[in-house]
PDB file of all heavy atoms in Angstrom:
ATOM      1  N   SER A  11      34.642 197.824 -18.685  1.00 87.00           N
ATOM      2  CA  SER A  11      34.542 198.045 -20.132  1.00 87.00           C
ATOM      3  C   SER A  11      34.050 199.444 -20.489  1.00 87.00           C
ATOM      4  O   SER A  11      33.946 199.787 -21.670  1.00 87.00           O
ATOM      5  CB  SER A  11      33.593 197.012 -20.745  1.00 87.00           C
ATOM      6  OG  SER A  11      32.263 197.222 -20.278  1.00 87.00           O
ATOM      7  N   SER A  12      33.728 200.254 -19.462  1.00 87.00           N
ATOM      8  CA  SER A  12      33.212 201.594 -19.704  1.00 87.00           C
ATOM      9  C   SER A  12      34.288 202.504 -20.304  1.00 87.00           C
ATOM     10  O   SER A  12      35.469 202.387 -19.969  1.00 87.00           O
ATOM     11  CB  SER A  12      32.678 202.203 -18.400  1.00 87.00           C
ATOM     12  OG  SER A  12      32.252 203.527 -18.611  1.00 87.00           O
ATOM     13  N   TYR A  13      33.887 203.408 -21.184  1.00 83.00           N
ATOM     14  CA  TYR A  13      34.828 204.370 -21.756  1.00 83.00           C
ATOM     15  C   TYR A  13      35.109 205.520 -20.798  1.00 83.00           C
ATOM     16  O   TYR A  13      36.005 206.334 -21.034  1.00 83.00           O
ATOM     17  CB  TYR A  13      34.281 204.915 -23.083  1.00 83.00           C
ATOM     18  CG  TYR A  13      32.997 205.720 -22.938  1.00 83.00           C
ATOM     19  CD1 TYR A  13      33.019 207.106 -22.788  1.00 83.00           C
ATOM     20  CD2 TYR A  13      31.752 205.087 -22.939  1.00 83.00           C
ATOM     21  CE1 TYR A  13      31.843 207.828 -22.651  1.00 83.00           C
ATOM     22  CE2 TYR A  13      30.585 205.793 -22.794  1.00 83.00           C
ATOM     23  CZ  TYR A  13      30.637 207.167 -22.653  1.00 83.00           C
ATOM     24  OH  TYR A  13      29.473 207.890 -22.512  1.00 83.00           O
ATOM     25  N   ARG A  14      34.346 205.585 -19.696  1.00 84.00           N
ATOM     26  CA  ARG A  14      34.566 206.634 -18.694  1.00 84.00           C
ATOM     27  C   ARG A  14      35.561 206.157 -17.642  1.00 84.00           C
ATOM     28  O   ARG A  14      35.378 205.108 -17.022  1.00 84.00           O
ATOM     29  CB  ARG A  14      33.248 207.018 -18.020  1.00 84.00           C
ATOM     30  CG  ARG A  14      32.229 207.636 -18.966  1.00 84.00           C
ATOM     31  CD  ARG A  14      30.983 208.063 -18.215  1.00 84.00           C
ATOM     32  NE  ARG A  14      29.976 208.615 -19.112  1.00 84.00           N
ATOM     33  CZ  ARG A  14      28.774 209.051 -18.698  1.00 84.00           C
ATOM     34  NH1 ARG A  14      28.445 208.962 -17.409  1.00 84.00           N
ATOM     35  NH2 ARG A  14      27.921 209.550 -19.570  1.00 84.00           N
ATOM     36  N   HIS A  15      36.594 206.945 -17.454  1.00 85.00           N
ATOM     37  CA  HIS A  15      37.664 206.569 -16.522  1.00 85.00           C
ATOM     38  C   HIS A  15      37.138 206.459 -15.084  1.00 85.00           C
ATOM     39  O   HIS A  15      37.563 205.575 -14.318  1.00 85.00           O
ATOM     40  CB  HIS A  15      38.789 207.604 -16.587  1.00 85.00           C
ATOM     41  CG  HIS A  15      39.923 207.303 -15.646  1.00 85.00           C
ATOM     42  ND1 HIS A  15      40.743 206.194 -15.788  1.00 85.00           N
ATOM     43  CD2 HIS A  15      40.365 207.962 -14.534  1.00 85.00           C
ATOM     44  CE1 HIS A  15      41.620 206.183 -14.815  1.00 85.00           C
ATOM     45  NE2 HIS A  15      41.428 207.235 -14.050  1.00 85.00           N
ATOM     46  N   GLN A  16      36.200 207.324 -14.698  1.00 87.00           N
ATOM     47  CA  GLN A  16      35.674 207.305 -13.332  1.00 87.00           C
ATOM     48  C   GLN A  16      34.960 205.988 -13.038  1.00 87.00           C
ATOM     49  O   GLN A  16      35.065 205.450 -11.931  1.00 87.00           O
ATOM     50  CB  GLN A  16      34.714 208.474 -13.124  1.00 87.00           C
ATOM     51  CG  GLN A  16      35.419 209.835 -13.100  1.00 87.00           C
ATOM     52  CD  GLN A  16      34.425 210.980 -12.907  1.00 87.00           C
ATOM     53  OE1 GLN A  16      33.235 210.844 -13.200  1.00 87.00           O
ATOM     54  NE2 GLN A  16      34.913 212.104 -12.401  1.00 87.00           N
ATOM     55  N   ARG A  17      34.230 205.465 -13.994  1.00 87.00           N
ATOM     56  CA  ARG A  17      33.550 204.184 -13.790  1.00 87.00           C
ATOM     57  C   ARG A  17      34.565 203.053 -13.684  1.00 87.00           C
ATOM     58  O   ARG A  17      34.407 202.151 -12.859  1.00 87.00           O
ATOM     59  CB  ARG A  17      32.585 203.915 -14.941  1.00 87.00           C
ATOM     60  CG  ARG A  17      31.307 204.744 -14.901  1.00 87.00           C
ATOM     61  CD  ARG A  17      30.397 204.381 -16.050  1.00 87.00           C
ATOM     62  NE  ARG A  17      29.180 205.172 -16.048  1.00 87.00           N
ATOM     63  CZ  ARG A  17      28.267 205.167 -17.021  1.00 87.00           C
ATOM     64  NH1 ARG A  17      28.463 204.372 -18.082  1.00 87.00           N
ATOM     65  NH2 ARG A  17      27.195 205.919 -16.954  1.00 87.00           N
ATOM     66  N   ARG A  18      35.580 203.065 -14.525  1.00 87.00           N
ATOM     67  CA  ARG A  18      36.574 201.994 -14.483  1.00 87.00           C
ATOM     68  C   ARG A  18      37.297 201.936 -13.134  1.00 87.00           C
ATOM     69  O   ARG A  18      37.722 200.866 -12.699  1.00 87.00           O
ATOM     70  CB  ARG A  18      37.593 202.170 -15.612  1.00 87.00           C
ATOM     71  CG  ARG A  18      37.010 201.969 -17.004  1.00 87.00           C
ATOM     72  CD  ARG A  18      38.098 201.724 -18.029  1.00 87.00           C
ATOM     73  NE  ARG A  18      39.041 202.822 -18.114  1.00 87.00           N
ATOM     74  CZ  ARG A  18      38.894 203.894 -18.884  1.00 87.00           C
ATOM     75  NH1 ARG A  18      37.825 203.997 -19.666  1.00 87.00           N
ATOM     76  NH2 ARG A  18      39.801 204.851 -18.902  1.00 87.00           N
ATOM     77  N   GLN A  19      37.420 203.074 -12.482  1.00 89.00           N
ATOM     78  CA  GLN A  19      38.097 203.105 -11.177  1.00 89.00           C
ATOM     79  C   GLN A  19      37.312 202.340 -10.111  1.00 89.00           C
ATOM     80  O   GLN A  19      37.905 201.901  -9.112  1.00 89.00           O
ATOM     81  CB  GLN A  19      38.313 204.552 -10.725  1.00 89.00           C
ATOM     82  CG  GLN A  19      39.432 205.266 -11.470  1.00 89.00           C
ATOM     83  CD  GLN A  19      39.657 206.671 -10.945  1.00 89.00           C
ATOM     84  OE1 GLN A  19      38.706 207.398 -10.639  1.00 89.00           O
ATOM     85  NE2 GLN A  19      40.921 207.066 -10.815  1.00 89.00           N
ATOM     86  N   TYR A  20      35.985 202.192 -10.291  1.00 90.00           N
ATOM     87  CA  TYR A  20      35.179 201.446  -9.313  1.00 90.00           C
ATOM     88  C   TYR A  20      35.438 199.942  -9.371  1.00 90.00           C
ATOM     89  O   TYR A  20      35.078 199.213  -8.460  1.00 90.00           O
ATOM     90  CB  TYR A  20      33.690 201.709  -9.539  1.00 90.00           C
ATOM     91  CG  TYR A  20      33.241 203.071  -9.061  1.00 90.00           C
ATOM     92  CD1 TYR A  20      32.869 204.050  -9.973  1.00 90.00           C
ATOM     93  CD2 TYR A  20      33.177 203.374  -7.709  1.00 90.00           C
ATOM     94  CE1 TYR A  20      32.445 205.306  -9.540  1.00 90.00           C
ATOM     95  CE2 TYR A  20      32.764 204.624  -7.266  1.00 90.00           C
ATOM     96  CZ  TYR A  20      32.406 205.596  -8.191  1.00 90.00           C
ATOM     97  OH  TYR A  20      31.993 206.831  -7.778  1.00 90.00           O
ATOM     98  N   SER A  21      36.050 199.487 -10.475  1.00 90.00           N
ATOM     99  CA  SER A  21      36.416 198.074 -10.597  1.00 90.00           C
ATOM    100  C   SER A  21      37.741 197.861  -9.882  1.00 90.00           C
ATOM    101  O   SER A  21      38.817 198.000 -10.449  1.00 90.00           O
ATOM    102  CB  SER A  21      36.542 197.679 -12.080  1.00 90.00           C
ATOM    103  OG  SER A  21      36.988 196.360 -12.189  1.00 90.00           O
ATOM    104  N   SER A  22      37.646 197.506  -8.603  1.00 92.00           N
ATOM    105  CA  SER A  22      38.855 197.318  -7.794  1.00 92.00           C
ATOM    106  C   SER A  22      38.655 196.142  -6.840  1.00 92.00           C
ATOM    107  O   SER A  22      37.520 195.771  -6.528  1.00 92.00           O
ATOM    108  CB  SER A  22      39.174 198.585  -6.999  1.00 92.00           C
ATOM    109  OG  SER A  22      38.176 198.848  -6.041  1.00 92.00           O
ATOM    110  N   LEU A  23      39.777 195.582  -6.400  1.00 92.00           N
ATOM    111  CA  LEU A  23      39.705 194.454  -5.476  1.00 92.00           C
ATOM    112  C   LEU A  23      39.069 194.865  -4.148  1.00 92.00           C
ATOM    113  O   LEU A  23      38.313 194.091  -3.542  1.00 92.00           O
ATOM    114  CB  LEU A  23      41.109 193.892  -5.245  1.00 92.00           C
ATOM    115  CG  LEU A  23      41.200 192.629  -4.377  1.00 92.00           C
ATOM    116  CD1 LEU A  23      40.414 191.493  -4.983  1.00 92.00           C
ATOM    117  CD2 LEU A  23      42.663 192.233  -4.193  1.00 92.00           C
ATOM    118  N   LYS A  24      39.354 196.077  -3.696  1.00 93.00           N
ATOM    119  CA  LYS A  24      38.785 196.564  -2.438  1.00 93.00           C
ATOM    120  C   LYS A  24      37.255 196.626  -2.506  1.00 93.00           C
ATOM    121  O   LYS A  24      36.551 196.187  -1.585  1.00 93.00           O
ATOM    122  CB  LYS A  24      39.366 197.936  -2.088  1.00 93.00           C
ATOM    123  CG  LYS A  24      38.835 198.507  -0.787  1.00 93.00           C
ATOM    124  CD  LYS A  24      39.433 199.874  -0.504  1.00 93.00           C
ATOM    125  CE  LYS A  24      38.858 200.459   0.804  1.00 93.00           C
ATOM    126  NZ  LYS A  24      39.418 201.806   1.083  1.00 93.00           N
ATOM    127  N   ASN A  25      36.734 197.170  -3.619  1.00 94.00           N
ATOM    128  CA  ASN A  25      35.287 197.245  -3.782  1.00 94.00           C
ATOM    129  C   ASN A  25      34.666 195.855  -3.908  1.00 94.00           C
ATOM    130  O   ASN A  25      33.549 195.620  -3.437  1.00 94.00           O
ATOM    131  CB  ASN A  25      34.931 198.075  -5.023  1.00 94.00           C
ATOM    132  CG  ASN A  25      35.165 199.556  -4.815  1.00 94.00           C
ATOM    133  OD1 ASN A  25      35.214 200.028  -3.673  1.00 94.00           O
ATOM    134  ND2 ASN A  25      35.314 200.302  -5.893  1.00 94.00           N
ATOM    135  N   ALA A  26      35.390 194.938  -4.541  1.00 95.00           N
ATOM    136  CA  ALA A  26      34.895 193.569  -4.647  1.00 95.00           C
ATOM    137  C   ALA A  26      34.800 192.918  -3.270  1.00 95.00           C
ATOM    138  O   ALA A  26      33.825 192.204  -2.969  1.00 95.00           O
ATOM    139  CB  ALA A  26      35.811 192.752  -5.561  1.00 95.00           C
ATOM    140  N   GLN A  27      35.788 193.136  -2.439  1.00 95.00           N
ATOM    141  CA  GLN A  27      35.772 192.578  -1.084  1.00 95.00           C
ATOM    142  C   GLN A  27      34.637 193.174  -0.258  1.00 95.00           C
ATOM    143  O   GLN A  27      33.935 192.461   0.466  1.00 95.00           O
ATOM    144  CB  GLN A  27      37.128 192.833  -0.413  1.00 95.00           C
ATOM    145  CG  GLN A  27      38.265 192.045  -1.042  1.00 95.00           C
ATOM    146  CD  GLN A  27      39.623 192.483  -0.556  1.00 95.00           C
ATOM    147  OE1 GLN A  27      39.777 193.566   0.028  1.00 95.00           O
ATOM    148  NE2 GLN A  27      40.650 191.663  -0.783  1.00 95.00           N
ATOM    149  N   GLN A  28      34.441 194.494  -0.359  1.00 96.00           N
ATOM    150  CA  GLN A  28      33.352 195.147   0.378  1.00 96.00           C
ATOM    151  C   GLN A  28      31.997 194.675  -0.138  1.00 96.00           C
ATOM    152  O   GLN A  28      31.068 194.446   0.658  1.00 96.00           O
ATOM    153  CB  GLN A  28      33.486 196.663   0.249  1.00 96.00           C
ATOM    154  CG  GLN A  28      34.690 197.234   0.964  1.00 96.00           C
ATOM    155  CD  GLN A  28      34.851 198.731   0.738  1.00 96.00           C
ATOM    156  OE1 GLN A  28      34.214 199.314  -0.153  1.00 96.00           O
ATOM    157  NE2 GLN A  28      35.690 199.372   1.548  1.00 96.00           N
ATOM    158  N   GLY A  29      31.869 194.511  -1.453  1.00 96.00           N
ATOM    159  CA  GLY A  29      30.613 194.025  -2.014  1.00 96.00           C
ATOM    160  C   GLY A  29      30.300 192.605  -1.574  1.00 96.00           C
ATOM    161  O   GLY A  29      29.143 192.276  -1.290  1.00 96.00           O
ATOM    162  N   THR A  30      31.328 191.773  -1.473  1.00 96.00           N
ATOM    163  CA  THR A  30      31.143 190.395  -1.024  1.00 96.00           C
ATOM    164  C   THR A  30      30.671 190.346   0.427  1.00 96.00           C
ATOM    165  O   THR A  30      29.748 189.584   0.765  1.00 96.00           O
ATOM    166  CB  THR A  30      32.464 189.615  -1.156  1.00 96.00           C
ATOM    167  OG1 THR A  30      32.863 189.612  -2.534  1.00 96.00           O
ATOM    168  CG2 THR A  30      32.299 188.187  -0.665  1.00 96.00           C
ATOM    169  N   ILE A  31      31.276 191.151   1.272  1.00 97.00           N
ATOM    170  CA  ILE A  31      30.852 191.203   2.683  1.00 97.00           C
ATOM    171  C   ILE A  31      29.397 191.644   2.799  1.00 97.00           C
ATOM    172  O   ILE A  31      28.616 191.082   3.568  1.00 97.00           O
ATOM    173  CB  ILE A  31      31.778 192.147   3.478  1.00 97.00           C
ATOM    174  CG1 ILE A  31      33.193 191.559   3.556  1.00 97.00           C
ATOM    175  CG2 ILE A  31      31.234 192.381   4.886  1.00 97.00           C
ATOM    176  CD1 ILE A  31      34.217 192.500   4.161  1.00 97.00           C
ATOM    177  N   ALA A  32      29.021 192.656   1.995  1.00 97.00           N
ATOM    178  CA  ALA A  32      27.642 193.153   2.011  1.00 97.00           C
ATOM    179  C   ALA A  32      26.667 192.068   1.572  1.00 97.00           C
ATOM    180  O   ALA A  32      25.591 191.895   2.174  1.00 97.00           O
ATOM    181  CB  ALA A  32      27.522 194.382   1.111  1.00 97.00           C
ATOM    182  N   ILE A  33      27.025 191.313   0.535  1.00 97.00           N
ATOM    183  CA  ILE A  33      26.153 190.240   0.045  1.00 97.00           C
ATOM    184  C   ILE A  33      25.992 189.145   1.085  1.00 97.00           C
ATOM    185  O   ILE A  33      24.884 188.623   1.301  1.00 97.00           O
ATOM    186  CB  ILE A  33      26.709 189.660  -1.267  1.00 97.00           C
ATOM    187  CG1 ILE A  33      26.561 190.657  -2.414  1.00 97.00           C
ATOM    188  CG2 ILE A  33      26.013 188.350  -1.621  1.00 97.00           C
ATOM    189  CD1 ILE A  33      25.121 191.014  -2.752  1.00 97.00           C
ATOM    190  N   ILE A  34      27.064 188.783   1.777  1.00 97.00           N
ATOM    191  CA  ILE A  34      26.996 187.750   2.817  1.00 97.00           C
ATOM    192  C   ILE A  34      26.063 188.181   3.942  1.00 97.00           C
ATOM    193  O   ILE A  34      25.213 187.406   4.404  1.00 97.00           O
ATOM    194  CB  ILE A  34      28.405 187.437   3.363  1.00 97.00           C
ATOM    195  CG1 ILE A  34      29.249 186.780   2.275  1.00 97.00           C
ATOM    196  CG2 ILE A  34      28.323 186.532   4.593  1.00 97.00           C
ATOM    197  CD1 ILE A  34      30.705 186.589   2.665  1.00 97.00           C
ATOM    198  N   ILE A  35      26.192 189.420   4.375  1.00 97.00           N
ATOM    199  CA  ILE A  35      25.341 189.933   5.466  1.00 97.00           C
ATOM    200  C   ILE A  35      23.877 190.001   5.029  1.00 97.00           C
ATOM    201  O   ILE A  35      22.974 189.538   5.753  1.00 97.00           O
ATOM    202  CB  ILE A  35      25.840 191.321   5.920  1.00 97.00           C
ATOM    203  CG1 ILE A  35      27.229 191.206   6.560  1.00 97.00           C
ATOM    204  CG2 ILE A  35      24.856 191.949   6.909  1.00 97.00           C
ATOM    205  CD1 ILE A  35      27.874 192.533   6.888  1.00 97.00           C
ATOM    206  N   LEU A  36      23.619 190.548   3.840  1.00 97.00           N
ATOM    207  CA  LEU A  36      22.246 190.697   3.365  1.00 97.00           C
ATOM    208  C   LEU A  36      21.589 189.343   3.108  1.00 97.00           C
ATOM    209  O   LEU A  36      20.401 189.157   3.402  1.00 97.00           O
ATOM    210  CB  LEU A  36      22.231 191.541   2.092  1.00 97.00           C
ATOM    211  CG  LEU A  36      22.584 193.027   2.267  1.00 97.00           C
ATOM    212  CD1 LEU A  36      22.666 193.724   0.917  1.00 97.00           C
ATOM    213  CD2 LEU A  36      21.552 193.720   3.150  1.00 97.00           C
ATOM    214  N   SER A  37      22.348 188.398   2.579  1.00 96.00           N
ATOM    215  CA  SER A  37      21.788 187.061   2.326  1.00 96.00           C
ATOM    216  C   SER A  37      21.431 186.356   3.622  1.00 96.00           C
ATOM    217  O   SER A  37      20.397 185.694   3.719  1.00 96.00           O
ATOM    218  CB  SER A  37      22.784 186.214   1.523  1.00 96.00           C
ATOM    219  OG  SER A  37      23.022 186.787   0.241  1.00 96.00           O
ATOM    220  N   SER A  38      22.282 186.509   4.627  1.00 96.00           N
ATOM    221  CA  SER A  38      21.998 185.901   5.948  1.00 96.00           C
ATOM    222  C   SER A  38      20.749 186.516   6.560  1.00 96.00           C
ATOM    223  O   SER A  38      19.908 185.813   7.135  1.00 96.00           O
ATOM    224  CB  SER A  38      23.198 186.082   6.877  1.00 96.00           C
ATOM    225  OG  SER A  38      24.348 185.479   6.340  1.00 96.00           O
ATOM    226  N   PHE A  39      20.623 187.836   6.438  1.00 96.00           N
ATOM    227  CA  PHE A  39      19.440 188.518   6.969  1.00 96.00           C
ATOM    228  C   PHE A  39      18.187 188.128   6.193  1.00 96.00           C
ATOM    229  O   PHE A  39      17.107 187.962   6.766  1.00 96.00           O
ATOM    230  CB  PHE A  39      19.660 190.031   6.889  1.00 96.00           C
ATOM    231  CG  PHE A  39      18.473 190.837   7.343  1.00 96.00           C
ATOM    232  CD1 PHE A  39      18.173 190.991   8.687  1.00 96.00           C
ATOM    233  CD2 PHE A  39      17.634 191.445   6.409  1.00 96.00           C
ATOM    234  CE1 PHE A  39      17.072 191.725   9.116  1.00 96.00           C
ATOM    235  CE2 PHE A  39      16.534 192.182   6.824  1.00 96.00           C
ATOM    236  CZ  PHE A  39      16.257 192.322   8.180  1.00 96.00           C
ATOM    237  N   LEU A  40      18.344 187.953   4.876  1.00 94.00           N
ATOM    238  CA  LEU A  40      17.205 187.640   4.015  1.00 94.00           C
ATOM    239  C   LEU A  40      16.552 186.319   4.389  1.00 94.00           C
ATOM    240  O   LEU A  40      15.322 186.178   4.338  1.00 94.00           O
ATOM    241  CB  LEU A  40      17.686 187.583   2.557  1.00 94.00           C
ATOM    242  CG  LEU A  40      16.642 187.334   1.470  1.00 94.00           C
ATOM    243  CD1 LEU A  40      15.698 188.521   1.357  1.00 94.00           C
ATOM    244  CD2 LEU A  40      17.331 187.077   0.128  1.00 94.00           C
ATOM    245  N   TYR A  41      17.369 185.336   4.820  1.00 96.00           N
ATOM    246  CA  TYR A  41      16.845 184.008   5.106  1.00 96.00           C
ATOM    247  C   TYR A  41      16.820 183.668   6.591  1.00 96.00           C
ATOM    248  O   TYR A  41      16.677 182.494   6.950  1.00 96.00           O
ATOM    249  CB  TYR A  41      17.668 182.963   4.360  1.00 96.00           C
ATOM    250  CG  TYR A  41      17.330 182.900   2.888  1.00 96.00           C
ATOM    251  CD1 TYR A  41      18.213 183.398   1.932  1.00 96.00           C
ATOM    252  CD2 TYR A  41      16.123 182.370   2.456  1.00 96.00           C
ATOM    253  CE1 TYR A  41      17.910 183.354   0.584  1.00 96.00           C
ATOM    254  CE2 TYR A  41      15.807 182.321   1.116  1.00 96.00           C
ATOM    255  CZ  TYR A  41      16.702 182.815   0.184  1.00 96.00           C
ATOM    256  OH  TYR A  41      16.379 182.775  -1.150  1.00 96.00           O
ATOM    257  N   CYS A  42      16.937 184.671   7.456  1.00 94.00           N
ATOM    258  CA  CYS A  42      16.862 184.380   8.888  1.00 94.00           C
ATOM    259  C   CYS A  42      15.488 183.837   9.280  1.00 94.00           C
ATOM    260  O   CYS A  42      15.346 183.110  10.272  1.00 94.00           O
ATOM    261  CB  CYS A  42      17.213 185.628   9.698  1.00 94.00           C
ATOM    262  SG  CYS A  42      16.088 187.007   9.466  1.00 94.00           S
ATOM    263  N   GLN A  43      14.458 184.163   8.478  1.00 93.00           N
ATOM    264  CA  GLN A  43      13.109 183.646   8.765  1.00 93.00           C
ATOM    265  C   GLN A  43      13.020 182.137   8.601  1.00 93.00           C
ATOM    266  O   GLN A  43      12.123 181.485   9.120  1.00 93.00           O
ATOM    267  CB  GLN A  43      12.066 184.346   7.878  1.00 93.00           C
ATOM    268  CG  GLN A  43      12.476 184.599   6.444  1.00 93.00           C
ATOM    269  CD  GLN A  43      12.236 183.427   5.515  1.00 93.00           C
ATOM    270  OE1 GLN A  43      11.489 182.520   5.829  1.00 93.00           O
ATOM    271  NE2 GLN A  43      12.866 183.440   4.360  1.00 93.00           N
ATOM    272  N   VAL A  44      13.980 181.536   7.859  1.00 94.00           N
ATOM    273  CA  VAL A  44      13.985 180.088   7.680  1.00 94.00           C
ATOM    274  C   VAL A  44      14.163 179.360   9.008  1.00 94.00           C
ATOM    275  O   VAL A  44      13.610 178.273   9.212  1.00 94.00           O
ATOM    276  CB  VAL A  44      15.101 179.691   6.679  1.00 94.00           C
ATOM    277  CG1 VAL A  44      15.306 178.176   6.652  1.00 94.00           C
ATOM    278  CG2 VAL A  44      14.758 180.197   5.290  1.00 94.00           C
ATOM    279  N   LEU A  45      14.905 179.977   9.934  1.00 93.00           N
ATOM    280  CA  LEU A  45      15.147 179.347  11.227  1.00 93.00           C
ATOM    281  C   LEU A  45      13.855 179.163  12.020  1.00 93.00           C
ATOM    282  O   LEU A  45      13.780 178.301  12.907  1.00 93.00           O
ATOM    283  CB  LEU A  45      16.147 180.185  12.025  1.00 93.00           C
ATOM    284  CG  LEU A  45      17.538 180.322  11.399  1.00 93.00           C
ATOM    285  CD1 LEU A  45      18.388 181.277  12.213  1.00 93.00           C
ATOM    286  CD2 LEU A  45      18.203 178.959  11.273  1.00 93.00           C
ATOM    287  N   TYR A  46      12.851 179.979  11.708  1.00 93.00           N
ATOM    288  CA  TYR A  46      11.537 179.811  12.336  1.00 93.00           C
ATOM    289  C   TYR A  46      10.597 178.995  11.452  1.00 93.00           C
ATOM    290  O   TYR A  46       9.889 178.088  11.921  1.00 93.00           O
ATOM    291  CB  TYR A  46      10.904 181.167  12.613  1.00 93.00           C
ATOM    292  CG  TYR A  46       9.428 181.073  12.947  1.00 93.00           C
ATOM    293  CD1 TYR A  46       9.012 180.648  14.212  1.00 93.00           C
ATOM    294  CD2 TYR A  46       8.454 181.372  12.000  1.00 93.00           C
ATOM    295  CE1 TYR A  46       7.659 180.527  14.520  1.00 93.00           C
ATOM    296  CE2 TYR A  46       7.102 181.258  12.295  1.00 93.00           C
ATOM    297  CZ  TYR A  46       6.713 180.830  13.556  1.00 93.00           C
ATOM    298  OH  TYR A  46       5.382 180.722  13.859  1.00 93.00           O
ATOM    299  N   CYS A  47      10.622 179.283  10.150  1.00 92.00           N
ATOM    300  CA  CYS A  47       9.612 178.720   9.246  1.00 92.00           C
ATOM    301  C   CYS A  47       9.799 177.241   8.951  1.00 92.00           C
ATOM    302  O   CYS A  47       8.815 176.500   8.865  1.00 92.00           O
ATOM    303  CB  CYS A  47       9.615 179.506   7.930  1.00 92.00           C
ATOM    304  SG  CYS A  47       8.752 181.098   8.038  1.00 92.00           S
ATOM    305  N   TYR A  48      11.021 176.808   8.794  1.00 93.00           N
ATOM    306  CA  TYR A  48      11.232 175.416   8.386  1.00 93.00           C
ATOM    307  C   TYR A  48      11.091 174.464   9.568  1.00 93.00           C
ATOM    308  O   TYR A  48      11.447 174.794  10.697  1.00 93.00           O
ATOM    309  CB  TYR A  48      12.623 175.254   7.756  1.00 93.00           C
ATOM    310  CG  TYR A  48      12.602 175.379   6.253  1.00 93.00           C
ATOM    311  CD1 TYR A  48      12.117 176.534   5.639  1.00 93.00           C
ATOM    312  CD2 TYR A  48      13.033 174.341   5.441  1.00 93.00           C
ATOM    313  CE1 TYR A  48      12.098 176.649   4.260  1.00 93.00           C
ATOM    314  CE2 TYR A  48      13.011 174.432   4.065  1.00 93.00           C
ATOM    315  CZ  TYR A  48      12.535 175.597   3.479  1.00 93.00           C
ATOM    316  OH  TYR A  48      12.504 175.701   2.106  1.00 93.00           O
ATOM    317  N   ASP A  49      10.566 173.280   9.254  1.00 92.00           N
ATOM    318  CA  ASP A  49      10.412 172.259  10.285  1.00 92.00           C
ATOM    319  C   ASP A  49      10.468 170.885   9.615  1.00 92.00           C
ATOM    320  O   ASP A  49      10.270 170.755   8.404  1.00 92.00           O
ATOM    321  CB  ASP A  49       9.097 172.441  11.031  1.00 92.00           C
ATOM    322  CG  ASP A  49       9.149 171.853  12.440  1.00 92.00           C
ATOM    323  OD1 ASP A  49      10.145 171.163  12.757  1.00 92.00           O
ATOM    324  OD2 ASP A  49       8.210 172.080  13.216  1.00 92.00           O
ATOM    325  N   ALA A  50      10.739 169.883  10.408  1.00 92.00           N
ATOM    326  CA  ALA A  50      10.835 168.512   9.897  1.00 92.00           C
ATOM    327  C   ALA A  50       9.470 167.814   9.942  1.00 92.00           C
ATOM    328  O   ALA A  50       8.502 168.346  10.499  1.00 92.00           O
ATOM    329  CB  ALA A  50      11.857 167.739  10.702  1.00 92.00           C
ATOM    330  N   ASN A  51       9.410 166.638   9.341  1.00 89.00           N
ATOM    331  CA  ASN A  51       8.210 165.779   9.342  1.00 89.00           C
ATOM    332  C   ASN A  51       7.003 166.438   8.685  1.00 89.00           C
ATOM    333  O   ASN A  51       5.861 166.231   9.123  1.00 89.00           O
ATOM    334  CB  ASN A  51       7.865 165.374  10.775  1.00 89.00           C
ATOM    335  CG  ASN A  51       8.949 164.537  11.418  1.00 89.00           C
ATOM    336  OD1 ASN A  51       9.396 163.543  10.854  1.00 89.00           O
ATOM    337  ND2 ASN A  51       9.391 164.959  12.597  1.00 89.00           N
TER     338      ASN A  51
END
Protein backbone atom coordinates (compact mmCIF):
# COMPACT_ATOMS: atom_id res chain seq x y z
CA SER A 1 0.00 0.00 0.00
CA SER A 2 3.06 2.28 0.10
CA TYR A 3 3.22 5.18 -2.37
CA ARG A 4 6.93 4.45 -2.81
CA HIS A 5 7.67 2.10 -5.68
CA GLN A 6 10.81 0.71 -3.98
CA ARG A 7 8.81 -0.46 -0.96
CA ARG A 8 6.13 -2.08 -3.12
CA GLN A 9 8.81 -4.13 -4.86
CA TYR A 10 9.60 -5.87 -1.54
CA SER A 11 6.11 -7.39 -1.62
CA SER A 12 6.93 -10.49 -3.63
CA LEU A 13 6.34 -14.22 -3.46
CA LYS A 14 10.08 -14.87 -3.24
CA ASN A 15 10.44 -12.63 -0.17
CA ALA A 16 7.38 -14.27 1.39
CA GLN A 17 8.93 -17.71 0.94
CA GLN A 18 12.26 -16.56 2.41
CA GLY A 19 10.48 -14.89 5.33
CA THR A 20 8.51 -18.07 6.03
CA ILE A 21 11.67 -20.19 6.10
CA ALA A 22 13.30 -17.69 8.49
CA ILE A 23 10.27 -17.78 10.81
CA ILE A 24 10.24 -21.60 10.88
CA ILE A 25 13.95 -21.74 11.77
CA LEU A 26 13.75 -18.99 14.41
CA SER A 27 10.61 -20.45 16.01
CA SER A 28 12.24 -23.89 16.26
CA PHE A 29 15.34 -22.36 17.83
CA LEU A 30 13.22 -20.24 20.18
CA TYR A 31 11.53 -23.28 21.73
CA CYS A 32 14.36 -25.82 21.65
CA GLN A 33 14.62 -25.31 25.44
CA VAL A 34 11.21 -27.01 25.76
CA LEU A 35 12.85 -30.35 24.96
CA TYR A 36 14.75 -30.01 28.24
CA CYS A 37 12.33 -28.00 30.36
CA TYR A 38 9.08 -29.87 29.89
CA ASP A 39 8.37 -33.09 31.73
CA ALA A 40 5.41 -35.31 32.56
CA ASN A 41 3.74 -36.04 35.92
